[in-house]
């Protein structure tokens, strides 16, 4: 770590520091907003080649309804778009750097209400507004892992769960940088997501219900593979953040069911 710190320090000063929303964590982002947009669009092209977009209002209506509320709560001007992917097998969702959000029909088996859908969508949107992909690429560049992450970006046709993605992270973890990084990003996405859902006036306590139900179903979801926190540590973190989230939620004049 000493060597990395030595490389990072002057760069941090040169580049200036970005700050993650809500958590205020200092980040190194070496990609421009335009590069992030281009990356999002490039990934999207790949997704549309292999995945089928659903037009079923049973899914598209709640995804639009919840997505728009969450997006408004971020107060960030991304090119927000919401897609449903027809795939009952995977309980997956993700948000690209350009603000395009994808929810798989397979997730709906675990969703009882809008607040639980908001739990997942706010987590994914949190990854985007905290520039997590750009940050990971930047760290990879700095640690000589650009190739591994580039493979990941090219390979991900389904967001957070492709095998190649896991492999890329695996390579990174050997050097001991990327794995802690993505764990940290995951718990940060949980943190930001919980606060944002509450700011969008969804009851943050539904996030606990959702994660508890998920782990009880024995369906440790594919979305949350090894780099994701265990459901136990995730739930513990959410409980700790609950007072902060409830404070936001109680400022809402109208609570969303
Ligand atoms: Zn995540």
């Amino acid at each position: 770590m000493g060597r990395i710190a030595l490389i990072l320090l002057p760069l941090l000063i040169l580049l200036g520091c970005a700050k993650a929303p809500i958590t205020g964590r200092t980040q190194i982002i070496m990609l421009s907003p335009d590069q992030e947009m281009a990356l999002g669009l490039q990934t999207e092209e790949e997704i549309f080649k292999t995945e089928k977009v659903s037009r079923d209002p049973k899914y598209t209506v709640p995804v639009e309804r919840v997505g728009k509320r969450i997006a408004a709560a971020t107060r960030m001007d991304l090119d927000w778009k919401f897609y449903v992917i027809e795939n009952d097998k995977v309980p997956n969702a993700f948000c690209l750097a350009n603000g395009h959000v994808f929810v798989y029909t397979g997730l709906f088996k675990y969703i009882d209400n809008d607040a639980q859908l908001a739990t997942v969508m706010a987590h994914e949107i949190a990854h985007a507004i905290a520039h997590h992909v750009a940050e990971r690429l930047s760290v990879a560049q700095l640690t000589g892992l650009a190739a591994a992450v580039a493979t990941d970006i090219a390979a991900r046709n389904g967001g957070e769960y492709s095998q190649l993605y896991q492999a890329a992270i695996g390579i990174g973890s050997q050097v001991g940088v990327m794995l802690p990084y993505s764990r940290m990003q995951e718990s940060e996405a949980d943190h930001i997501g919980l606060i944002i859902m509450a700011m969008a006036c969804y009851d943050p306590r539904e996030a606990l219900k959702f994660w508890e139900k998920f782990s009880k179903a024995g369906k440790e979801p594919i979305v949350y593979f090894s780099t994701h926190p265990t459901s136990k540590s995730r739930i513990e973190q959410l409980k700790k953040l609950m007072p902060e989230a409830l404070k936001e939620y109680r400022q809402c004049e109208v609570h969303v069911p």
Side-chain angles (χ1 to χ4, degrees):
M1 280 311 275
R3 216 178 100 213
I4 291 169
L6 219 68
I7 299 164
L8 287 184
L9 196 64
L11 272 167
L12 275 170
I13 296 159
L14 271 175
L15 295 168
C17 308
K19 271 204 191 304
I22 311 284
T23 64
R25 180 177 62 84
T26 301
Q27 297 175 289
I28 313 156
I29 311 279
M30 289 162 62
L31 270 74
S32 70
D34 282 353
Q35 284 174 311
E36 272 194 284
M37 289 297 131
L39 198 63
L41 285 174
Q42 197 187 321
T43 312
E44 186 164 291
E45 268 175 39
E46 294 303 313
I47 294 162
F48 288 138
K49 273 184 205 162
T50 53
E51 306 285 348
K52 190 170 178 246
V53 175
S54 168
R55 308 255 174 243
D56 187 344
K58 188 171 99 184
Y59 305 115
T60 56
V61 170
V63 163
E64 280 266 331
R65 181 173 62 224
V66 172
K68 280 182 178 158
R69 285 197 73 95
I70 302 281
T74 67
R75 297 199 189 100
M76 283 175 93
D77 192 23
L78 294 186
D79 178 35
W80 298 110
K81 284 203 177 101
F82 308 96
Y83 297 98
V84 174
I85 299 293
E86 210 176 286
N87 185 338
D88 286 336
K89 292 198 182 80
V90 262
N92 199 15
F94 53 92
C95 176
L96 302 179
N98 54 4
H100 294 193
V101 184
F102 296 77
V103 179
Y104 283 51
T105 52
L107 186 73
F108 282 86
K109 272 180 252 171
Y110 305 94
I111 301 290
D112 295 333
N113 52 41
D114 275 12
Q116 294 185 7
L117 182 58
T119 301
V120 178
M121 290 183 79
H123 171 100
E124 300 306 331
I125 283 172
H127 278 308
I129 63 171
H131 309 280
H132 279 171
V133 170
E135 183 182 27
R136 213 180 292 174
L137 274 168
S138 305
V139 173
Q141 266 171 17
L142 291 173
T143 52
L145 285 167
V149 179
T151 310
D152 151 32
I153 302 299
R156 59 161 60 206
N157 58 1
E160 296 192 81
Y161 71 99
S162 86
Q163 283 190 344
L164 277 162
Y165 179 63
Q166 293 190 48
I169 293 297
I171 296 162
S173 71
Q174 286 165 16
V175 206
V177 178
M178 297 305 277
L179 187 63
Y181 228 87
S182 43
R183 274 213 186 110
M184 182 268 287
Q185 289 185 334
E186 284 315 316
S187 70
E188 183 169 78
D190 278 344
H191 182 163
I192 297 171
L194 187 74
I195 303 301
I196 297 272
M197 79 177 275
M199 286 166 77
C201 304
Y202 293 107
D203 189 339
R205 289 165 293 199
E206 289 294 322
L208 283 177
K209 283 191 201 159
F210 173 77
W211 291 118
E212 275 162 1
K213 180 176 51 184
F214 233 57
S215 57
K216 262 192 204 134
K219 270 272 173 199
E220 202 56 51
I222 304 166
V223 199
Y224 302 103
F225 57 85
S226 61
T227 61
H228 287 70
T230 63
S231 39
K232 204 178 150 218
S233 69
R234 156 172 276 145
I235 286 163
E236 272 165 19
Q237 188 201 3
L238 292 175
K239 278 183 181 161
K240 258 186 229 153
L241 292 167
M242 199 52 73
E244 188 189 337
L246 283 170
K247 215 165 105 189
E248 291 292 343
Y249 180 61
R250 287 189 179 124
Q251 282 175 25
C252 292
E253 280 171 23
V254 181
H255 293 154
V256 187

